[in-house]
Amino acid sequence: MTAPSLGVCYYPEHWPEDWWERDAARMAEVGIQWVRIGEFAWSRLEPTPGNLQFDWLIRAMDVLGQHGLKVVFGTPTATPPRWMIDKHPDMLPVDAQGRTKGFGSRRHYDFSHLGYREECRRIVQLLANAIGDHSALGAWQTDNEYGCHGTTYSYSKAARDGFRIWLAEKYGTVDALNAAWGNAFWSMEYNSFDQIELPNLLVCEPNPVHDLDFRRYASDQVSAFNKVQFDVLKARRADLPVIHNFMSRYTEFDHYDLGESIDIASWDSYPIGHLAVSDEPVEIKRQYLRQGDPDNAAFHHDLYRAVGHGRWWIMEQQPGPVNWGNFNPDPLPGMARLWAWEAFAHGAEVVSFFRWRQAPFAQEQMHAGLLRPDNEPAPAFLEAMQVAEELESTGLAGKASKGRVAIVYDYQSEWAWDIQPQAQGFSHGAHARALYAVFRKHGIDIDVLPPSTKSFDGYDILAIPALFAWNETLRAAISEFEGRVLIGPRSGSKTEDFSIPARLPPDLPSDLLDVKVLRVDSIPSDVEVEVNGGGAVHHWRERLETSAEVIIEDAKGWPVLVSQGRLFYLGASGNRALIQRVADHLVAEADLPILSLPAGVRCRVRGGFRVYVNYGAGAASLFPADDETGYVLGSADIPAAGVTVARLATAG
Ligand code: GAL
């Protein structure tokens, strides 16, 4: 594996050609090695149908290559040019209210539209032919941020037609569909697949499995759309990696599925913007206004490591204020460096900043870059330069170490609880992230894994929170797993067809876990039920019937955490104090080594190094851990936005 390196996103088509040379020279001076270009340039590559203008692109790649820079070429399919709409007027996406979205921004296409998919195959093939052998080309990116701006779901005719075919393939006969969906309810039975509509514009809520199947269908369209490009690019250059850039907390398609047709996963990390637009409590938003949530980026680093089968990048890293929050705070000095270091600690191969120069025109003119619009360095320019030097001086290398804790994260569970929350806002992701944060507080390395994982061998603790439905692989994996397993709340509470399982949730054999959820008490999140010994239940509270040992119960005598052998069941959503207690109990049972970290500090092990980052507003002091032999960067006194790297006695 090559040493970790820096990149930047660059738009040669935005600048006079006589600027390219100086830009490339300065990128090289910063220590940048990768430059992503092209992903929005279709109108310059093919200004009118069939009129191909690739010369400028090749000249731009020549200039970058002359400065030793490697190019990630982004296929331009996220921004079809205006003429495309004249050619395919029905390719525009339709929202859930039935309104067609128009041209004039980006992502104005429908994943189900086969005519547009074919146009994409065509332009990608032409570009691959033209630049596939260019010496500067190092990787491809497909499209840009699939699904961004709410574009996974389109309620168009193309989607409806595709959905009917998809259903017919899945169920074979309409009777089988009626049975699986339980359509005897409310006389919803169909006589043929052609009668089935999309689950929008109904009088009240659709059958949840109708909605879930539509989401599964839509997710498959995103993967199929990507696969067309992947196949073209791999056929042209099997040796070059194909990458896609995913997002934060974006759940509308199954990223693990799409991960089967890319070589490297990447994601676009804007920690301050993501916190600003999240539903985190206002105190957290205030506390980390200029740093971003201290666990959100890390969670996604670990998630996308799984999506990319171990290989992942940051394709876009926030460099300063963004433009898309209600407010867009300036990061604390040093944060661009910290974010890059944290990503490298979690195994990133490349961290690429968005963007080289702030554009003085169009939608993103208030979005910072490494350079200001007047070509002078913005703060992140110098921070990037510092990171490049530090990567070299520390010799950080190797892979992110295997975690001691695994958390199962599942896209279908996100869809299921979005469809039927039962308690407003109940979400799979929120439960997974809450567990992530409480284990991480002890400096424990975590892996986020898909529900299709065949074996959890080697982990000490496995957590499966709020999982919609079991699959056979996961059932087998947990019964063979020898470590501690934490299940729930709400895990295994549905079948794949979105019905309540016959033996009631969590739907496990009683010799493994003798727990039945008899009913659920769902209460507004601001109403708390105290828990004996500390912490509180809120939002979701299950009435359990169990012969398992009760470890934690609430003040009303309802069991909250129970255990049977190495399996633990959590029957509630808890506040932070309760979830921390649950994690601490498992950590103690598993006898896991823990670190004592100051409040804002987080860490991760990669290769023979432990990287500490300080998200706190003030300086902190680290206690050297037993396995460390000294610091190769920074010291035990870690300032706000600081980074300290310790060398470990044994290489990871
Ligand atoms: C990303 C996108 C970029 C740019 C950036 C601004 O979502 O991929 O093209 O818009 O946000 O923060």
Side-chain angles (χ1 to χ4, degrees):
M1 186 185 278
T2 51
S5 52
L6 293 183
V8 76
C9 303
Y10 184 53
Y11 300 92
E13 70 275 22
H14 293 180
W15 313 109
E17 188 161 341
D18 59 7
W19 290 19
W20 296 354
E21 179 70 35
R22 175 144 194 264
D23 282 341
R26 287 174 98 187
M27 289 173 194
E29 264 166 49
V30 171
I32 285 168
Q33 296 185 25
W34 288 90
V35 186
R36 185 195 60 177
I37 63 173
E39 83 279 9
F40 299 126
W42 200 336
S43 72
R44 290 292 174 96
L45 294 166
E46 190 180 18
T48 53
N51 168 16
L52 303 177
Q53 301 287 334
F54 296 172
D55 290 358
W56 68 266
L57 172 65
I58 292 167
R59 289 198 302 278
M61 291 176 71
D62 291 345
V63 172
L64 294 168
Q66 278 149 20
H67 290 271
L69 298 160
K70 280 177 287 184
V71 167
V72 181
F73 181 77
T75 66
T77 54
T79 49
R82 177 62 186 83
W83 55 258
M84 187 71 74
I85 314 302
D86 294 334
K87 208 167 160 195
H88 301 282
D90 57 350
M91 65 171 273
L92 292 169
V94 177
D95 73 10
Q97 279 67 49
R99 297 171 302 204
T100 301
K101 301 180 199 173
F103 178 86
S105 61
R106 61 178 171 180
R107 301 213 56 77
H108 39 280
Y109 71 83
D110 185 328
F111 282 104
S112 295
H113 194 278
L114 300 181
Y116 183 60
R117 213 181 275 181
E118 178 53 27
E119 294 282 0
C120 294
R121 196 199 56 72
R122 179 186 63 84
I123 193 70
V124 171
Q125 183 70 69
L126 289 167
L127 284 159
N129 291 346
I131 63 170
D133 292 321
H134 196 287
S135 57
L137 187 67
W140 309 100
Q141 174 186 296
T142 52
D143 203 277
N144 188 74
E145 293 190 340
Y146 287 133
C148 186
H149 314 302
T151 52
T152 295
Y153 304 129
S154 172
Y155 298 84
S156 61
K157 181 173 175 306
R160 188 200 66 183
D161 293 349
F163 184 46
R164 288 175 178 171
I165 294 168
W166 186 94
L167 289 172
E169 277 168 10
K170 176 170 179 182
Y171 292 102
T173 66
V174 80
D175 290 344
L177 177 141
N178 283 326
W181 284 16
N183 280 342
F185 193 79
W186 287 355
S187 270
M188 291 185 295
E189 283 161 312
Y190 296 103
N191 308 111
S192 82
F193 286 105
D194 289 345
Q195 296 171 331
I196 303 174
E197 300 293 336
L198 299 177
N200 64 323
L201 294 174
L202 307 183
V203 175
C204 66
E205 82 266 31
N207 184 339
V209 64
H210 181 178
D211 197 346
L212 182 62
D213 268 348
F214 173 62
R215 294 183 195 223
R216 288 168 169 153
Y217 160 77
S219 176
D220 285 357
Q221 301 322 297
V222 181
S223 289
F225 183 92
N226 180 70
K227 177 98 175 25
V228 168
Q229 301 197 14
F230 177 77
D231 289 346
V232 169
L233 298 171
K234 292 311 270 192
R236 179 68 177 84
R237 283 291 299 271
D239 57 322
L240 292 186
V242 174
I243 311 177
H244 179 70
N245 56 333
F246 300 103
M247 293 177 282
S248 172
R249 297 197 187 180
Y250 187 79
T251 60
E252 289 180 353
F253 62 89
D254 189 323
H255 292 43
Y256 303 120
D257 279 355
L258 196 139
E260 297 305 316
S261 48
I262 50 174
D263 299 300
I264 300 176
S266 76
W267 78 286
D268 297 344
S269 180
Y270 294 91
I272 293 179
H274 292 149
L275 178 59
V277 301
S278 76
D279 54 6
E280 293 300 333
V282 75
E283 323 77 83
I284 298 289
K285 290 191 176 184
R286 269 201 208 118
Q287 192 179 352
Y288 295 112
L289 187 76
R290 299 184 186 284
Q291 298 98 316
D293 181 303
D295 297 307
N296 189 61
F299 178 86
H300 288 83
H301 297 337
D302 294 343
L303 168 64
Y304 289 122
R305 201 169 56 244
V307 171
H309 303 279
R311 296 197 65 186
W312 74 278
W313 292 21
I314 292 287
M315 193 61 87
E316 300 181 13
Q317 176 64 67
Q318 177 166 357
V322 300
N323 64 305
W324 39 266
N326 286 340
F327 299 94
N328 298 287
D330 191 21
L332 282 189
M335 283 315 289
R337 168 178 175 251
L338 180 155
W339 294 323
W341 262 106
E342 186 176 42
F344 287 127
H346 286 251
E349 295 177 18
V350 173
V351 173
S352 164
F353 289 92
F354 182 90
R355 52 184 282 152
W356 174 242
R357 183 186 299 105
Q358 182 173 349
F361 44 78
Q363 279 92 330
E364 294 181 347
Q365 50 189 273
M366 296 304 291
H367 193 297
L370 295 187
L371 292 180
R372 303 187 318 218
D374 67 355
N375 267 325
E376 292 301 315
F381 182 97
L382 299 171
E383 292 186 26
M385 197 173 238
Q386 186 180 350
V387 175
E389 286 161 11
E390 290 168 346
L391 284 174
E392 198 155 331
S393 66
T394 56
L396 181 82
K399 289 184 170 177
S401 67
K402 181 174 169 125
R404 306 290 296 259
V405 170
I407 298 178
V408 169
Y409 177 76
D410 172 41
Y411 289 91
Q412 291 207 63
S413 300
E414 293 275 21
W415 309 335
W417 306 144
D418 190 42
I419 292 168
Q420 190 187 76
Q422 181 67 5
Q424 193 181 56
F426 186 99
S427 116
H428 168 70
H431 284 83
R433 289 190 299 271
L435 281 171
Y436 183 88
V438 290
F439 284 113
R440 192 170 183 242
K441 178 172 178 276
H442 295 306
I444 296 170
D445 290 340
I446 301 165
D447 290 339
V448 176
L449 296 177
S452 56
T453 305
K454 291 196 181 70
S455 164
F456 296 96
D457 231 27
Y459 292 104
D460 296 82
I461 297 173
L462 165 63
I464 310 179
L467 180 89
F468 153 70
W470 298 108
N471 62 65
E472 288 317 311
T473 310
L474 188 54
R475 277 185 195 279
I478 63 166
S479 54
E480 279 154 29
F481 179 62
E482 289 172 0
R484 266 87 187 161
V485 191
L486 173 65
I487 293 169
R490 212 179 183 179
S491 294
S493 62
K494 305 288 176 186
T495 64
E496 292 271 350
D497 291 329
F498 216 128
S499 294
I500 296 170
R503 66 182 155 192
L504 297 188
D507 192 23
L508 289 170
S510 57
D511 57 339
L512 205 58
L513 186 66
D514 182 25
V515 171
K516 264 189 195 161
V517 178
L518 303 184
R519 64 175 183 278
V520 173
D521 180 34
S522 116
I523 44 181
S525 338
D526 54 346
V527 177
E528 293 197 329
V529 178
E530 292 305 310
V531 165
N532 297 337
V537 163
H538 65 134
H539 213 220
W540 188 266
R541 188 169 168 246
E542 294 173 351
R543 187 60 162 156
L544 307 182
E545 179 180 87
T546 182
S547 63
E549 184 192 349
V550 177
I551 299 184
I552 299 178
E553 67 179 6
D554 72 20
K556 307 280 182 208
W558 290 30
V560 171
L561 180 72
V562 302
S563 88
Q564 180 171 328
R566 48 191 188 76
L567 263 69
F568 293 76
Y569 187 80
L570 175 62
S573 298
N575 64 6
R576 175 75 182 234
L578 176 59
I579 301 306
Q580 189 71 58
R581 266 183 81 191
V582 171
D584 292 356
H585 185 84
L586 272 104
V587 166
E589 288 264 320
D591 205 15
L592 271 190
I594 60 173
L595 301 177
S596 171
L597 294 178
V601 173
R602 302 291 187 271
C603 67
R604 227 288 170 191
V605 173
R606 173 177 182 168
F609 302 91
R610 178 175 291 117
V611 178
Y612 293 92
V613 293
N614 185 5
Y615 274 85
S621 297
L622 303 173
F623 304 96
D626 295 345
D627 57 353
E628 294 171 3
T629 59
Y631 298 119
V632 294
L633 183 69
S635 71
D637 296 319
I638 183 168
V643 177
T644 292
V645 182
R647 192 194 300 283
L648 301 182
T650 51

